[in-house]
């Protein structure tokens, strides 16, 4: 596969590059960034060749700071992690508008150059996925965001620890916004194939605390160590691996809805089947009434932001 990372000089971009470079399906990895970060990208490339050699992989690594993005030609996937962080006093809408301009600039160029898939990571990820979709000329199968995949993984760990079971025994997901209004789906949570609500100890599960923790995990990690990169990078590579190996897994990614779940013209985290074509199916599942209400509330919030960035 040929994969480009735009924003490779950043924490998430570079951590993703390390994990990706070692994957057996990687042929060409392109690290893209701004001219001012050229040295950083060249250093990252050298470091990555060491990592690749140690992992006995044979990938080629390239660096580009070309603003025209010619290097994305023939890419199977373009991952976008570029964006400014939210600073003190900056509202969420302001952040969304600034990052939407960055995303628009890249996506317009990419879609003029090549037919690829765009994988959005930049926050607010649902809104940026929407912006990427409407500014590209691609089908919705080709444009998706990390959505609540990472949140779902965090929820999965918390459940495995509480019930003291191996993480592989837990199946769960969080849908909705990657943010404050995310919705944990207990109705889609099982341990060893048994619905979680059937376990005696379920009544003691501190669900509200766990969800609060999942919601603010990213911020907490950033506060403690200056950045959250390995978790996001690992979640990103999970998705890429599904595409590369045509795995047809059900992941919870941000995708454009056009009537599914009764919603239109927004991107939000829902279960999707992921394979070689990207989002191969949007999986509509029956939700319990409280889950459905919370999901609609989450969608309402994202939709407002989508409208704010639609025409900028
Ligand atoms: P970071 O270390 O600050 O890196 C930001 C990247 O964006 C750098 O490559 C930077 O390039 C680039 N950039 C900044 N301003 C730019 C501009 N005006 N134009 C073009 N590129 C610009 O941030 P990070 O920790 O890697 O996070 C990257 C993004 O991923 C953030 O939006 C973060 O919130 C998001 N994220 C999402 C999830 C998720 O689950 N969806 C998880 C973690 C992080 P320079 O090096 O040239 O400055």
């Amino acid at each position: 596969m040929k994969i480009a990372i735009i924003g490779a000089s950043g924490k998430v971009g570079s951590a993703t590059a390390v994990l990706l470079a070692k994957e057996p399906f990687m042929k060409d990895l392109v690290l893209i960034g701004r001219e001012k970060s050229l040295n950083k990208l060249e250093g990252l490339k050298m470091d990555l060749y060491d990592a690749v050699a140690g992992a006995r992989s044979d990938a080629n690594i390239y660096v580009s700071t070309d603003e025209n993005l010619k290097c994305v030609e023939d890419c199977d996937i373009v991952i976008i992690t570029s964006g400014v962080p939210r600073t003190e006093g900056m509202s969420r809408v302001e952040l969304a508008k600034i990052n939407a301009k960055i995303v628009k600039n890249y996506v317009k160029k990419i879609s003029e150059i090549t037919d690829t898939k765009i994988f959005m990571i930049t926050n607010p990820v649902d809104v940026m996925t929407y912006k990427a979709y409407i500014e590209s000329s691609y089908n919705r199968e080709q444009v998706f965001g990390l959505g609540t995949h990472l949140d779902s993984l965090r929820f999965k760990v918390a459940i495995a620890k509480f019930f003291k079971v191996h993480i592989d025994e837990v199946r769960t997901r969080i849908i909705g916004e990657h943010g404050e209004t995310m919705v944990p789906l207990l109705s889609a949570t099982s341990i060893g194939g048994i619905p979680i609500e059937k376990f005696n100890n379920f009544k003691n599960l501190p669900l509200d605390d766990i969800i609060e923790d999942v919601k603010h995990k990213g911020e907490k990690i950033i506060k403690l160590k200056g950045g959250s990169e390995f978790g996001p990078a690992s979640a990103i590579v999970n998705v890429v691996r599904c595409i590369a190996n045509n795995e047809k897994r059900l992941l919870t990614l941000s995708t454009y809805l056009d009537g599914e779940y009764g919603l239109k013209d927004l991107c939000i985290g829902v279960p999707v089947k992921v394979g070689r074509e990207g989002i191969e199916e949007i999986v509509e599942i029956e939700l319990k009434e409280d889950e459905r209400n919370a999901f609609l509330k989450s969608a309402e919030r994202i939709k407002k932001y989508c409208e704010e960035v639609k025409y900028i």
Side-chain angles (χ1 to χ4, degrees), residues 148-174 184 188-191 196 205 207 210-211 214 217 238 249-251:
T148 41
H149 179 49
L150 177 58
D151 306 301
S152 299
L153 292 173
R154 287 170 172 161
F155 190 36
K156 184 173 169 147
V157 172
I159 292 170
K161 296 296 176 208
F162 179 80
F163 286 95
K164 299 188 174 58
V165 294
H166 192 284
I167 190 162
D168 284 352
E169 293 300 310
V170 180
R171 284 275 185 273
T172 189
R173 62 188 69 241
I174 286 179
T189 303
S190 61
I191 303 173
I196 191 169
L205 181 74
L207 185 63
I210 290 175
I211 293 305
V214 170
K217 189 112 255 162
N238 270 348
R249 285 183 196 273
L250 296 193
L251 302 178

Side-chain angles (χ1 to χ4, degrees), residues 7 9-12 34 36-37 81-83 102 106 121 123 178:
S9 56
K11 289 178 282 295
V12 174
R34 295 189 284 182
K36 77 174 187 69
S37 300
T81 63
S82 303
I102 297 173
Y106 285 135
I121 313 301
N123 273 323
H178 169 62

Side-chain angles (χ1 to χ4, degrees), residues 84-92 94-95 98-99:
V84 301
R86 189 158 148 227
T87 48
E88 231 178 305
M90 186 192 283
S91 73
R92 283 174 195 278
E94 279 172 307
L95 175 75
I98 295 169
N99 283 344

Side-chain angles (χ1 to χ4, degrees), residues 239-264:
V239 178
V240 173
R241 206 181 288 120
C242 277
I243 296 169
N245 300 333
N246 199 17
E247 289 177 5
K248 319 271 187 206
R249 285 183 196 273
L250 296 193
L251 302 178
T252 319
L253 302 183
S254 193
T255 190
Y256 183 83
L257 296 187
D258 188 23
E260 295 84 4
Y261 292 94
L263 298 170
K264 260 180 184 277

